[in-house]
Amino acid sequence: MRTTILRTTLFAAAISAATTGWAETTVLTIESWRSDDQAIWDEKIIPVFEKQFPEIDVQFKPTTPTEYNAALNARLAGGTAGDIITCRPFDNALAMYEAGNLADIKSLEGLANFSDVAKAAWSTDNSDATFCVPMASVIHGFMYNKDAFKELGLAVPKTEADFYAVLDAIKADGNYIPMAMGTKDAWEAATMGYTNVGPAYWGGEEGRMALINGTAKFTDEGFVEGFKQMAKWTPYLGSGFQAQGYTDSQNLFTLGRAAIYPTGSWEITGFQENAEFELGAFAPPAKDASSDCYISDHTDIGIGMNANTKNKEAALTFLEWTSSAEFASLLTNAAPGFFSLANHNFEVENELAQEFMAMRSECKATIRVAHQILGRGEPALSNELWTLTANVINGTMTAEAAAQGAQDNLDAWFKP
Amino acid sequence: MRSNPLSSMAIHGVLILYSALALFPLLLIAINSFKSKKGIFRDPTALPLGELYSTKGYQSVLANGDFPLYFGNSLTVTLISLVLILLLGAMAAHGLTEYRFKGNGLLGLYLILGIMVPIRLGTVALLELFVKLGLTNTLTALVLVYTAQGLPIAIFIFTEFLKSVSGEIKDSARIDGLSEYRIFFEVVLPLIRPVIATVAVFSMIPIWNDLWFPLILSPGEETRTVTLGIQQFIGQYTVNWSAVLAALTVAIVPVLIMYVIFSKQLIRGITAGAVKG
Amino acid sequence: MSHSIPSGSRWRWYIVFFVAPATLIYTVFAIYPIVESLRLSLFAERDAVEAFVGIDNYKKLFTEPYWADQFWNAFKNNVWLFVLHMLIQNPVALALAAILSIPNLRGAATYRTIFFLPTLLSVVVIGFIWQLILSPLWGITPAFMNFMGVGKFFAPWLGLESSALTAVTLISIWQYVGIPMMLFYAALLNIPEETLEAARIDGLNGWSIFWKVKLPLILPTLGLVGILTYIGNFTASFDLIYTLQGGLAGPNGSTDVMGTFMFRTFFGFQAQLGDVNMGATVASSLFFIILIGVSVYLFGVQRRLQRYQA
């Protein structure tokens, strides 16, 4: 496999060299929202690529995450966007493809290295076109303060009952806030709450596909139960959690004031830098001892090509390289917690990342429930879930009403 | 209000109280810029002494050697835009209030329409325009947009104040044989100096702090502004708050200096005007 | 209004000289792009093609519950924002300006600079610092309130639907009070000393000089500040709310204003894709709301104020 890739990329490079008359360096600019990763790209990833392809100069030019979508769309419309575009999953990238801004790259040989599930996030509904190379997924779960667990004699919970027993024990002890989460920024509630523990109740992929096929509704028991779990979390959050933002939660946990942090693998780097205690991770609890556990192994980042780039060959060469084992290993180890979606075998060195990786074999995997197809209403269902979940945790809405709200959103436009 | 010690004490009491309210958050920003991220959240009100003291934030800003360039870019853009806004704005306002001509009222209304819709909505058209003009990744593009953005409010306020300037001074200047141009530059401009200073003060803030247009129109390394430069510390999941606070603490200094200069002008203008009047 | 010399039939070049440069830059770099965007409100994407749809988008905005609810919620919040700015920001600004304009006040320049400092800051840092100050976790406000003996009244204001908008507004007032203060200050200093001297000779004390002499004289500035507050309330409130409360203007949309609603619709937010047509529709509606306010000011309030003053 590896040799074929190399051969094709070399071939592509040769073509580009031939057409440009050689000697000229092609500059490729990467658009991304991951300003966190600037150093990783500059120091670890790009040098490796440029060593193999000295005629291509790659530049990683991230935009602030909150402005990325708007800024990128403006640049695409104005014709000043970069050659390589980092893709958000599903509808966001799909819209860019449909608007003619992302090129179809289905012919890329390297795409064979990815599972259909991974490719689904960046393909049209009928899989006719694929417009981004899957890059990485993030795994949801919980991180915990190992020192605190040791101190209180607690074991990692496996089931819902264990989970609440652990929370009760932390609460009774009183030294730690049981769970570091707030509802101020709303997205944590939906992302680290509802779509984190919920799949155990709606049966992961099965439940999600049932929604898409129209055989299930948000008002069905499993989806309502997910919201009910959220309401159950309220007493374990710190006082004033309504005004607790994402940064607050991060710091509350890394400063050792909270014992458990519902989160995902993307926090690994930042937390290992800041926490002075030993970190551990556990998967979302199963419903009971006889049930499976489920994780959201969410296809989060892809990488595609600006359809109007003037450096098509170089861009394709680069994309082909991003599907290689070399890139997979570089990325996963440089940015632990962002797991390559490729089927290559490579070593993950970071221990905490290994703990998250291990969840893949222990639990059944799914993705965030509202991202594929279901999110095309007004407003996008995943945004709506932010608000609904936050409301449930804040106690301003019942689980049933929230479920009804989500279903109403679907009913307004969705035809299975 | 001739100084009566009791009322003077009450007055200073009020002023000091409000100063505390205005300064406390700023003080927090400044002291926390000398702490590590952990230090900030461990005890946000503690002074950066002993263990808490850390210049990590400032170091990360300095480590990026381009910040002096960013400051230069921000200053260039802000100052040139300001000069254009104030000069062209005052000229237009003068033209509108001083002379009666066809379409005068309509033009006045037209020139303030821009207050009512943020230019940001026209981003795509602007970008396309600058691509055609070959002005992307130039400071000129920013200057043009900020000037266009600042003009309506400047014209609006200048017009309001010019309406209250008495006609006699200008008429006597005309009798003295001054040209219309000289009347504007030598008689009217000095008269409205306080207002110019006031408009300058609040026109410069949105320009200095803007993130959007540098991001779209001139994101290149050479033309980056301070606000855009600071964004590198703001990630998706991790924000380097020490660096952000450090950079922003430093970023206040140039605007503060500009403010002090303008507000001196304001006072000087007023006292000078009072002597004349 | 204009003290113009009687115009001959000859073309007066100096008028062109005065108004043309501003008009030109403004037309090309403000009006043209804005019109390009606002006209999109008359179009919609039908089967991947932009089609002219007349006022359909406006109908949609005001009749479909999803749009109308957001619109009126944002509008209502803007009204509250405006009321609070008028009731708190402008009186405080006037009071500060009045005190600062007392002749020979010691330290006046320093105070003036201090009061204006918050206005100079970028919203990024203002958002960060006020969230930190008001946070229930890091103890600044709770400790202060405990110290004052009112600790039990503390609440996570920025996170509660009932108080978030008011909290955000107060932060905005803290930040922007310097601008009306400067305008009032400039107007107060402009009052001729003779007028005040005459009042003093008439035996008026400081308090009644302020109410009976100064205030009537600066009425036009009061009107100007009022209309600027009205405009800023719709256009400038976006940045702070976006930074403090995010694009969805939580909790539960309770801090959503026309600005956040418009930008969220136009540019999209997270999973929500941008909809330029509806965004332009919201923007155009906002434009008319502001235009009505400005017209009322220009043709109603302002004239009356000037007549009153004369």
Side-chain angles (χ1 to χ4, degrees):
Chain A
M1 181 54 67
R2 175 103 179 82
T3 45
T4 37
I5 297 167
L6 210 68
R7 217 179 303 134
T8 42
T9 45
L10 283 176
F11 180 63
I15 294 175
S16 82
T19 48
T20 53
W22 197 242
E24 288 206 16
T25 326
T26 313
V27 179
L28 284 184
T29 311
I30 306 179
E31 297 273 1
S32 171
W33 68 90
R34 293 283 307 157
S35 20
D36 324 40
D37 295 344
Q38 181 85 55
I40 293 171
W41 282 88
D42 287 354
E43 289 156 24
K44 296 188 174 159
I45 298 177
I46 295 175
V48 177
F49 174 79
E50 287 181 349
K51 213 169 173 187
Q52 292 169 38
F53 301 94
E55 73 286 0
I56 301 175
D57 174 12
V58 182
Q59 296 183 352
F60 184 73
K61 290 268 169 76
T63 302
T64 326
T66 45
E67 313 287 339
Y68 179 70
N69 294 1
L72 177 62
N73 281 319
R75 286 191 204 126
L76 284 168
T80 59
D83 312 278
I84 303 283
I85 290 167
T86 310
C87 313
R88 306 246 199 214
F90 300 107
D91 292 350
N92 217 301
L94 181 64
M96 277 191 213
Y97 169 73
E98 284 173 346
N101 289 321
L102 279 172
D104 183 4
I105 51 159
K106 207 176 166 67
S107 56
L108 224 57
E109 290 199 19
L111 281 178
N113 300 332
F114 298 90
S115 71
D116 288 341
V117 177
K119 280 184 279 196
W122 294 283
S123 299
T124 47
D125 291 350
N126 55 18
S127 301
D128 276 354
T130 300
F131 32 85
C132 300
V133 178
M135 201 158 108
S137 73
V138 289
I139 299 175
H140 293 221
F142 294 84
M143 286 202 205
Y144 66 101
N145 181 331
K146 274 193 178 169
D147 296 358
F149 269 50
K150 222 174 280 165
E151 187 187 320
L152 302 179
L154 298 170
V156 163
K158 292 273 178 210
T159 62
E160 184 195 314
D162 292 350
F163 181 64
Y164 289 108
V166 165
L167 288 170
D168 281 329
I170 303 168
K171 195 174 177 177
D173 173 69
N175 265 324
Y176 297 91
I177 294 167
M179 201 151 36
M181 195 178 85
T183 53
K184 164 117 191 316
D185 296 341
W187 70 273
E188 307 104 291
T191 313
M192 288 111 133
Y194 190 65
T195 56
N196 187 7
V197 295
Y201 303 94
W202 63 71
E205 277 302 274
E206 218 172 282
R208 193 176 73 87
M209 293 320 286
L211 279 178
I212 294 175
N213 297 331
T215 51
K217 282 175 179 295
F218 266 103
T219 44
D220 292 351
E221 202 194 331
F223 296 98
V224 178
E225 186 56 36
F227 282 119
K228 284 191 177 150
Q229 291 294 318
M230 293 299 99
K232 275 185 164 178
W233 283 19
T234 314
Y236 303 107
L237 308 179
S239 80
F241 65 87
Q242 298 96 329
Q244 176 178 337
Y246 174 61
T247 312
D248 293 327
S249 304
Q250 284 181 315
N251 287 300
L252 206 59
F253 181 66
T254 51
L255 284 172
R257 278 175 59 182
I260 298 177
Y261 180 62
T263 179
S265 55
W266 60 84
E267 298 281 18
I268 292 176
T269 314
F271 276 18
Q272 284 184 329
E273 235 167 67
N274 285 302
E276 279 160 5
F277 49 85
E278 215 185 320
L279 287 163
F282 62 84
K287 206 155 49 166
D288 48 52
S290 60
S291 313
D292 288 317
C293 61
Y294 289 85
I295 53 165
S296 278
D297 188 354
H298 190 68
T299 42
D300 196 43
I301 306 185
I303 190 159
M305 179 173 77
N306 182 346
N308 302 311
T309 176
K310 291 185 186 75
N311 306 307
K312 205 167 173 187
E313 285 82 6
L316 285 172
T317 307
F318 181 77
L319 288 184
E320 196 73 80
W321 183 72
T322 59
S323 62
S324 69
E326 185 173 34
F327 178 79
S329 158
L330 274 174
L331 176 81
T332 312
N333 284 307
F338 291 87
F339 301 104
S340 165
L341 284 160
N343 299 329
H344 305 291
N345 280 319
F346 54 87
E347 290 291 311
V348 177
E349 285 147 24
N350 185 297
E351 278 179 32
L352 196 53
Q354 284 171 2
E355 282 186 46
F356 273 102
M357 280 282 262
M359 293 176 197
R360 277 182 172 168
S361 46
E362 289 159 18
C363 305
K364 291 185 168 172
T366 180
I367 60 165
R368 291 175 199 161
V369 68
H371 269 69
Q372 190 179 24
I373 298 174
L374 299 178
R376 293 173 193 167
E378 283 173 341
L381 185 56
S382 35
N383 281 9
E384 182 83 344
L385 284 181
W386 292 14
T387 307
L388 292 171
T389 315
N391 286 349
V392 170
I393 298 176
N394 287 345
T396 56
M397 196 182 245
T398 63
E400 288 78 8
Q404 189 61 54
Q407 188 56 40
D408 287 348
N409 176 295
L410 281 186
D411 287 344
W413 64 276
F414 181 62
K415 306 223 165 28
Chain B
M1 231 172 271
R2 294 289 170 226
S3 40
N4 155 354
L6 209 72
S7 75
S8 151
M9 250 169 67
I11 282 168
H12 280 281
V14 170
L15 290 174
I16 288 168
L17 215 65
Y18 196 86
S19 300
L21 182 64
L23 283 182
F24 174 68
L26 303 178
L27 204 68
L28 272 186
I29 296 166
I31 61 177
N32 282 304
S33 70
F34 285 102
K35 292 183 198 168
S36 67
K37 182 165 156 185
K38 233 179 290 172
I40 297 175
F41 289 97
R42 184 156 289 153
D43 190 350
T45 47
L47 290 172
L49 299 171
E51 248 198 336
L52 282 175
Y53 178 76
S54 150
T55 52
K56 241 175 148 177
Y58 288 92
Q59 279 165 11
S60 356
V61 175
L62 284 177
N64 182 320
D66 291 331
F67 263 87
L69 171 77
Y70 301 164
F71 269 92
N73 288 338
S74 282
L75 267 179
T76 312
V77 168
T78 309
L79 287 177
I80 299 180
S81 308
L82 258 189
V83 169
L84 288 175
I85 291 171
L86 298 175
L87 182 67
L88 303 185
M91 277 162 56
H94 173 73
L96 287 170
T97 47
E98 183 64 18
Y99 311 108
R100 197 167 290 158
F101 56 90
K102 220 180 200 176
N104 179 317
L106 270 181
L107 183 64
L109 194 63
Y110 170 77
L111 283 174
I112 58 168
L113 287 181
I115 308 176
M116 302 166 209
V117 189
I119 292 198
R120 194 168 160 160
L121 288 181
T123 302
V124 170
L126 269 176
L127 181 61
E128 283 168 350
L129 187 65
F130 285 122
V131 169
K132 269 183 218 147
L133 295 172
L135 287 175
T136 48
N137 280 324
T138 63
L139 297 181
T140 315
L142 292 179
V143 167
L144 287 169
V145 172
Y146 293 142
T147 306
Q149 176 181 275
L151 274 173
I153 200 121
I155 293 176
F156 186 56
I157 294 175
F158 286 143
T159 313
E160 297 304 292
F161 275 81
L162 281 171
K163 279 177 188 164
S164 64
V165 171
S166 89
E168 292 159 34
I169 305 174
K170 283 172 271 183
D171 287 338
S172 67
R174 277 190 193 103
I175 292 164
D176 290 347
L178 259 63
S179 71
E180 293 301 321
Y181 305 101
R182 287 185 63 189
I183 288 176
F184 172 71
F185 286 104
E186 288 168 26
V187 179
V188 176
L189 265 193
L191 268 178
I192 59 163
R193 199 145 90 183
V195 192
I196 293 183
T198 314
V199 173
V201 161
F202 64 81
S203 298
M204 73 183 179
I205 302 158
I207 302 177
W208 181 265
N209 288 329
D210 184 45
L211 168 67
W212 179 253
F213 284 113
L215 194 61
I216 306 294
L217 301 179
S218 56
E221 193 61 44
E222 292 302 306
T223 50
R224 219 170 267 187
T225 60
V226 177
T227 342
L228 191 54
I230 290 169
Q231 297 302 311
Q232 64 184 294
F233 303 118
I234 301 180
Q236 184 184 14
Y237 298 115
T238 47
V239 178
N240 186 348
W241 280 115
S242 323
V244 171
L245 294 184
L248 286 171
T249 304
V250 179
I252 299 176
V253 177
V255 265
L256 185 59
I257 294 172
M258 285 191 266
Y259 168 77
V260 170
I261 293 171
F262 292 136
S263 67
K264 281 232 173 76
Q265 285 301 311
L266 190 159
I267 304 305
R268 266 233 314 265
I270 286 165
T271 28
V275 172
K276 234 183 243 164
Chain C
M1 202 167 101
S2 42
H3 325 281
S4 114
I5 38 170
S7 63
S9 55
R10 97 199 138 85
W11 181 248
R12 289 172 292 165
W13 278 108
Y14 51 85
I15 297 182
V16 179
F17 169 81
F18 285 127
V19 297
T23 311
L24 185 73
I25 292 190
Y26 166 81
T27 303
V28 177
F29 299 105
I31 292 297
Y32 160 71
I34 288 174
V35 170
E36 268 298 292
S37 278
L38 291 191
R39 77 177 176 85
L40 294 173
S41 70
L42 302 176
F43 292 79
E45 202 163 293
R46 298 271 155 87
D47 306 319
V49 205
E50 288 278 299
F52 184 80
V53 294
I55 58 162
D56 279 10
N57 290 330
Y58 292 88
K59 269 191 209 147
K60 192 168 156 190
L61 179 62
F62 291 104
T63 55
E64 279 186 20
Y66 167 66
W67 292 104
D69 290 353
Q70 286 188 88
F71 184 90
W72 292 116
N73 175 50
F75 185 77
K76 184 193 82 201
N77 289 340
N78 259 133
V79 171
W80 181 234
L81 210 70
F82 178 63
V83 168
L84 282 185
H85 277 93
M86 289 300 277
L87 290 181
I88 302 175
Q89 174 185 279
N90 297 345
V92 168
L94 181 58
L96 292 175
I99 296 177
L100 288 178
S101 66
I102 294 172
N104 307 321
L105 179 78
R106 217 186 294 165
T110 313
Y111 285 126
R112 211 176 53 234
T113 308
I114 290 173
F115 298 164
F116 203 79
L117 265 174
T119 314
L120 299 174
L121 295 177
S122 100
V123 285
V124 177
V125 69
I126 287 183
F128 172 76
I129 210 68
W130 276 103
Q131 290 193 52
L132 192 70
I133 292 172
L134 294 178
S135 167
L137 301 166
W138 314 111
I140 302 175
T141 307
F144 178 73
M145 288 181 67
N146 280 331
F147 176 75
M148 303 292 283
V150 290
K152 64 175 191 292
F153 294 108
F154 178 81
W157 292 295
L158 284 174
L160 301 178
E161 281 180 48
S162 53
S163 56
L165 182 65
T166 306
V168 172
T169 312
L170 292 176
I171 295 172
S172 157
I173 291 173
W174 173 83
Q175 183 186 4
Y176 288 117
V177 77
I179 290 177
M181 182 191 81
M182 290 290 283
L183 285 167
F184 288 137
Y185 184 65
L188 284 169
L189 287 190
N190 245 345
I191 298 173
E193 185 55 29
E194 304 92 88
T195 316
L196 300 177
E197 201 53 47
R200 271 185 221 111
I201 290 164
D202 287 349
L204 293 177
N205 63 13
W207 194 244
S208 43
I209 287 181
F210 177 76
W211 287 107
K212 293 188 180 149
V213 182
K214 290 185 178 175
L215 201 61
L217 281 174
I218 64 163
L219 267 186
T221 309
L222 282 176
L224 180 69
V225 166
I227 190 65
L228 289 180
T229 308
Y230 179 79
I231 297 167
N233 157 58
F234 286 111
T235 56
S237 51
F238 161 76
D239 280 322
L240 185 67
I241 293 179
Y242 188 71
T243 311
L244 275 168
Q245 308 296 95
L248 294 182
N252 203 17
S254 61
T255 53
D256 204 17
V257 291
M258 294 302 283
T260 42
F261 174 43
M262 171 176 71
F263 282 116
R264 187 175 61 239
T265 309
F266 195 90
F267 290 108
F269 177 71
Q270 287 289 329
Q272 183 76 62
L273 301 171
D275 180 341
V276 288
N277 302 110
M278 283 312 284
T281 310
V282 177
S284 308
S285 311
L286 180 59
F287 170 78
F288 286 113
I289 292 174
I290 298 178
L291 188 64
I292 292 170
V294 172
S295 308
V296 168
Y297 166 76
L298 284 179
F299 303 111
V301 182
Q302 191 200 34
R303 287 199 181 155
R304 206 157 300 161
L305 286 179
Q306 275 168 350
R307 199 178 315 139
Y308 181 78
Q309 197 187 20

